[in-house]
Amino acid sequence: MNVAQYLVEQLRVWGVQRVYGLVGDAILDFVDALEKAGGPCFVAVRHEASAAFMASAEAKLSGRPACCTATTGPGAVNLLNGLADAALDQVPVLAITGQSARSRIGTDQKQYFDQQRLFSSVVGFSQLVAAPEALPAVLPLAWRAMLGEGTAAHLSVPMDLWRAEVKAPVRQEEPYLGARHHPAIDVVRGAAHRMGQSARPVIVCGHGARTAREALIALAERWQAPIVRSLGGIGVVPGHHPLVVGGYGAAGSAASHRLLQQADMALVVGTTWWPHGHVPLDLPIVQIDVRPGNVGRDAEVAWGIVGDAAAVLPTLLEAVEPASRPDWLSQAQALRRDWEARVAPLRRAGGPPVSPGYLVTELEQAIAPDAVVVLDVGDHVLWFGQFFRGEQHRVLFSGTWRSMGFGIPAAIAAALCSEGRQVVALVGDGGLAMSAGELSTVAQLGVPVTVVVADNGWLAMEKNRMDKAGLASEATRVPAVDLVKLAEASGLRAWRVEAAGQLPDVLRAALGCGGPALVDVPVVAGPPPDPRVTGG
């Protein structure tokens, strides 16, 4: 095999199903090898940043390594945005970029730059493949970095290397690389001992608790602890469960905010989100996380357990003594009722433009209980976190990097790697503008993604902060675009909600049309309620 064929075969053996990218001079042979091999499938995009966002989203949703590619120069640089998303959210993504021919490295060749110097500031591993015989050694190093450290990795391949012969065989799959930690029983018992000293406990769950849904509920019931969830924790426990109080942070509820202020211990499972200003900094924490570096990362912990929640929680459940806290649970339920009553007017039809709370409420009613919901970045995320209760939904978002333009590419990847599952992208008009070119990718692939646009005419999060600070906010205005015409020209079916009463029927029509669709919903640009303001 030559270098291109070897790389494709190695990716296939390792289970990579798709390579997202945009064709360019320095990767022509790699794309050719992908097309001729019949797998992994090459998914062509309109912008390289979208390719990296797609790979990041696939890795987040599937838990398996994903791959993206681009040519040298600006193509490679454009990948960095999505790779930063993957690296900071600790998911395994491999980026393969073309590079100038070996004889031109270090010169003033057009589009040449030192890729390793730039990529190493973002990803956990970056190397240049200097010779064909180096590929069988370098590629596993990248793979180990991805799986062992939970990061993005990068390889650059000189364009004159693709057709060079590789004599080594490909490596077989090494499942032990993804093995999870199993903590000693004494470590779990130590946590149970500390938990037994609590009178007002709270469980804080994130995406990492998704593998242990039933054990988490059983533990909450045994320990008599209300549950607060992060944005990624939506769908881990049904939102209607009596122990669930809501989210926390700016996208959370006043009920959760007050409960955390009154608690005397928090069991944090599968999340590192501990937003200062929204949580007490002196609250004793017992933290469970699959990665050692995440334990105590954002807040000091009283006790830490390294391991997958699915392995830890059943053991912890057996070790924790049952408790009875009727007053504490009643207090939590009363706080939730008070919050729901406070925000109830924002769930009702009004306008136009309509309340984003009404949009989120009707969206949840319209979509499947196990749908994948992909969020872009903007004020609509705060509204979603406050008003979306969740059942078995999966929510994808740019967690730490928080890049606008994530929503549509990520929804495409979600639809490709979770066939048969409903996929909805909730985006703002500002975020849509950053990845509008991928609407044609949605149509070309024919994936049944429904894009719902919270269209308020502004970069609302920035506008609201500037208005509050007395700053001139005109620069945050988003130019008006006929999104229905844009979507239809790209090959999607499209609707615009002209009156609030149309919203339920329009959402159901778009979701039921059997193909790609867009719904433009004019919404108020104002901020959601501040969870820290507990009255009024």
Side-chain angles (χ1 to χ4, degrees), residues 1-9 29-30 32-33 132 135 161-167:
M1 293 183 288
N2 62 31
V3 165
Q5 293 165 339
Y6 181 95
L7 182 53
V8 169
E9 178 63 11
D29 288 286
F30 179 44
D32 175 73
L135 181 62
L161 208 66
W162 290 114
R163 299 185 187 183
E165 185 181 3
V166 180
K167 296 181 180 180

Side-chain angles (χ1 to χ4, degrees), residues 133-199:
E133 55 267 28
L135 181 62
V138 175
L139 190 53
L141 294 179
W143 203 254
R144 278 167 163 71
M146 292 161 55
L147 293 177
E149 301 169 21
T151 187
H154 165 243
L155 291 179
S156 52
V157 182
M159 62 190 302
D160 63 325
L161 208 66
W162 290 114
R163 299 185 187 183
E165 185 181 3
V166 180
K167 296 181 180 180
V170 298
R171 298 175 71 109
Q172 296 305 303
E173 191 173 5
E174 299 165 287
Y176 54 84
L177 292 178
R180 301 298 192 184
H181 293 272
H182 290 273
I185 187 63
D186 289 347
V187 174
V188 178
R189 288 172 178 165
H193 173 72
R194 283 159 177 77
M195 291 165 62
Q197 298 172 346
S198 171

Side-chain angles (χ1 to χ4, degrees), residues 192-525:
H193 173 72
R194 283 159 177 77
M195 291 165 62
Q197 298 172 346
S198 171
R200 300 182 305 281
V202 171
I203 294 177
V204 179
C205 74
H207 163 64
R210 194 170 299 274
T211 58
R213 175 187 177 108
E214 299 304 325
L216 181 72
I217 295 173
L219 178 62
E221 293 171 346
R222 182 177 178 86
W223 195 33
Q224 292 284 277
I227 299 172
V228 172
R229 50 130 183 96
S230 69
L231 190 64
I234 292 176
V236 172
V237 178
H240 60 76
H241 192 284
L243 288 177
V244 175
V245 179
Y248 65 107
S253 69
S256 297
H257 179 80
R258 291 180 63 183
L259 196 73
L260 286 168
Q261 300 296 329
Q262 297 169 17
D264 63 2
M265 175 168 285
L267 174 66
V268 178
V269 186
T271 181
T272 59
W273 177 235
W274 202 246
H276 294 189
H278 289 272
V279 293
L281 300 183
D282 58 350
L283 180 64
I285 296 171
V286 175
Q287 185 178 357
I288 301 170
D289 200 281
V290 73
R291 301 196 181 281
N294 286 346
V295 177
R297 191 183 79 179
D298 287 354
E300 184 178 354
V301 301
W303 195 261
I305 302 176
V306 178
D308 191 332
V312 174
L313 287 183
T315 306
L316 186 60
L317 177 61
E318 294 180 359
V320 168
E321 293 293 330
S324 177
R325 315 181 207 275
D327 293 343
W328 177 235
L329 296 188
S330 295
Q331 184 177 348
Q333 291 163 359
L335 288 172
R336 174 173 170 166
R337 287 194 299 271
D338 289 347
W339 166 253
E340 291 287 358
R342 175 184 164 190
V343 300
L346 297 174
R347 289 187 179 275
R348 302 185 189 119
V354 303
S355 162
Y358 174 63
L359 169 58
V360 173
T361 299
E362 290 301 323
L363 181 64
E364 182 171 8
Q365 292 295 318
I367 64 177
D370 65 344
V372 179
V373 182
V374 182
L375 304 176
D376 208 282
V377 170
D379 230 31
H380 62 278
V381 176
L382 304 183
W383 286 94
F384 181 88
Q386 289 191 4
F387 286 83
F388 195 92
R389 296 186 176 99
E391 289 294 324
Q392 298 177 26
H393 299 93
R394 179 66 190 276
V395 180
L396 292 183
F397 54 97
S398 181
T400 306
W401 189 236
R402 299 187 180 186
S403 176
M404 294 172 64
F406 174 84
I408 294 174
I412 295 171
L416 290 173
C417 68
S418 55
E419 187 175 351
R421 196 170 181 183
Q422 194 177 67
V423 177
V424 177
L426 178 61
V427 307
D429 47 344
L432 172 67
M434 288 195 174
S435 56
E438 303 306 338
L439 290 175
S440 62
T441 307
V442 175
Q444 179 184 22
L445 295 172
V447 287
V449 169
T450 302
V451 180
V452 179
V453 187
D455 187 357
N456 53 40
W458 300 87
L459 300 176
M461 186 174 287
E462 286 68 28
K463 170 181 165 54
N464 293 329
R465 289 174 178 173
M466 295 179 80
D467 289 347
K468 185 176 181 180
L471 304 175
S473 61
E474 182 61 25
T476 64
R477 185 183 296 275
V478 176
V481 173
D482 190 328
L483 297 181
V484 170
K485 288 184 179 178
L486 175 64
E488 290 177 341
S490 300
L492 285 72
R493 295 191 63 184
W495 292 259
R496 178 178 172 87
V497 175
E498 300 292 352
Q502 298 174 349
L503 180 60
D505 290 340
V506 168
L507 286 174
R508 286 172 175 80
L511 291 163
C513 75
L518 181 143
V519 178
D520 181 18
V521 187
V523 297
V524 175

